[in-house]
Amino acid sequence: MNEKELKAIISLLDDPDTEIFNQIEQQLITFGPEVIPQLEASWESSFDPLSQTRIENIIHKIQFDQIKNDLQLWDLKNSEDLLDGLLIVNRYQYPNLDESHVLLTLADLKRNAWFQLMYDMSPVEKVKLLNNILFREYGLSGNTTNYHDPQNSFIHKVLESKRGNPISLSCIYSIIAQQLDIPIYGINLPKHFITAYVEDLNQPPLFYINPFNRGQIMHENDIYSFLKQLDLPLSEEYTMPCTNKAIIKRVLRNLITAYDNMGSPQKKEEIDTLLKIIEE
């Protein structure tokens, strides 16, 4: 469809006939992301509130369909890339974000750690180095003031505000560590996501790390005590590294809770739709 034909279709968005509008809306959604620039241009030149609202809703539906497709593809082919999964979730709230800023920030943090990393460092020394780079120099910390804020689940906002929840801080921690060949992975501990230093994936971790508490080192006894308080067993489900898919599921569940607390039923429902995509 050429630009003139597309403009003609968009011009009908203010039609009071609901049936006609529904047909136009569906047609525009079918066209996909390619029509968004034209829709945005029409929104800017429009003085009709109804037309503007309809355009905003159509753009959101197109972008949400794209996120669903991206997440499904990630689940099928690219789930070994945790950062890619986090960026897909990020697009839900920030579809127009220049994601290169996230990549550059992570690259800077990795480089700063790499400059000080030495071959003969012990696992604890490597963790102390990461803690120094991420928490003391860069300033990452747990968002204890607004723990359930949905922004804590969007990686670019966490890097921007330097405040996050346990899982977002653990993701950043493990992504940078693994880029430096430091074997730190996510641990799907109930109520509080953490990481672990795991030299052999077939053996228990050497120790655990709590990024929400500035990289505090913990041991199996600490994990056992925590699980005992929750009346849960010391099982591999809670003590061994989890999959990236499990991490993204937990990020989405956190968002569902956050939007529920905010009283945003539409966003809660949409995030639940994303969760179902990778639960199938």
Side-chain angles (χ1 to χ4, degrees):
M1 178 171 292
N2 61 43
E3 187 176 339
K4 187 176 180 180
E5 292 171 327
L6 184 57
K7 282 183 177 180
I9 291 175
I10 294 173
S11 69
L12 299 174
L13 283 174
D14 59 358
D15 196 301
D17 189 315
T18 304
E19 187 174 339
I20 292 175
F21 165 70
N22 288 339
Q23 291 175 356
I24 295 167
E25 178 186 47
Q26 194 53 50
Q27 187 175 10
L28 289 169
I29 291 172
T30 303
F31 291 154
E34 292 76 13
V35 302
I36 289 179
Q38 188 63 56
L39 285 167
E40 290 174 335
S42 297
W43 185 95
E44 291 175 359
S45 62
S46 174
F47 296 98
D48 177 25
L50 174 62
S51 183
Q52 287 183 323
T53 299
R54 286 176 167 180
I55 289 172
E56 290 169 5
N57 290 336
I58 291 169
I59 290 174
H60 177 70
K61 288 177 180 180
I62 291 171
Q63 290 171 333
F64 187 59
D65 279 349
Q66 186 63 49
I67 292 166
K68 289 189 289 185
N69 292 337
D70 290 346
L71 189 60
Q72 189 171 38
L73 189 61
W74 177 85
D75 183 30
L76 291 171
K77 296 185 177 181
N78 201 33
S79 61
E80 73 280 357
D81 189 336
L82 175 59
L83 178 56
D84 188 39
L86 293 169
L87 288 172
I88 292 169
V89 173
N90 206 89
R91 286 172 209 149
Y92 172 75
Q93 188 67 42
Y94 302 97
N96 300 318
L97 176 74
D98 182 357
E99 294 175 355
S100 65
H101 293 309
V102 172
L103 304 180
L104 288 171
T105 301
L106 293 175
D108 284 344
L109 291 171
K110 172 194 170 185
R111 183 170 59 251
N112 292 342
W114 180 80
F115 282 144
Q116 301 177 48
L117 192 63
M118 296 184 180
Y119 178 77
D120 59 351
M121 277 183 166
S122 69
V124 170
E125 287 172 331
K126 290 176 182 178
V127 166
K128 287 182 177 179
L129 170 59
L130 285 174
N131 291 347
N132 185 59
I133 296 296
L134 293 174
F135 305 120
R136 193 180 71 80
E137 293 186 4
Y138 186 67
L140 278 178
S141 68
N143 191 343
T144 55
T145 305
N146 295 304
Y147 187 85
H148 294 292
D149 190 330
Q151 304 304 320
N152 293 330
S153 294
F154 299 117
I155 187 169
H156 102 274
K157 291 302 293 185
V158 175
L159 290 170
E160 185 181 274
S161 68
K162 301 183 182 180
R163 299 290 180 271
N165 59 21
I167 193 165
S168 62
L169 295 177
S170 293
C171 286
I172 292 168
Y173 200 100
S174 63
I175 286 170
I176 292 172
Q178 289 173 34
Q179 289 177 350
L180 293 164
D181 294 323
I182 301 174
I184 292 175
Y185 302 92
I187 301 291
N188 210 357
L189 194 65
K191 304 289 185 182
H192 195 89
F193 199 93
I194 58 173
T195 61
Y197 197 106
V198 188
E199 288 188 327
D200 185 344
L201 291 174
N202 295 314
Q203 297 294 326
L206 292 183
F207 53 83
Y208 298 88
I209 308 145
N210 183 3
F212 192 74
N213 193 20
R214 300 175 65 84
Q216 172 196 16
I217 291 176
M218 302 181 297
H219 299 282
E220 190 175 87
N221 285 341
D222 301 308
I223 305 302
Y224 176 72
S225 297
F226 181 77
L227 291 170
K228 192 174 182 180
Q229 290 175 10
L230 299 176
D231 198 25
L232 292 170
L234 188 67
S235 69
E236 289 190 359
E237 179 184 359
Y238 306 134
T239 59
M240 294 296 287
C242 63
T243 64
N244 290 337
K245 186 172 176 178
I247 293 174
I248 296 300
K249 282 182 182 180
R250 187 152 174 177
V251 170
L252 293 172
R253 290 192 189 102
N254 283 349
L255 275 172
I256 289 171
T257 300
Y259 286 132
D260 189 34
N261 290 341
M262 286 178 61
S264 301
Q266 181 184 345
K267 290 186 175 183
K268 177 188 174 185
E269 184 179 334
E270 288 176 337
I271 297 298
D272 188 57
T273 298
L274 296 180
L275 179 60
K276 287 174 181 173
I277 288 174
I278 55 176
E279 281 188 331
E280 291 177 353

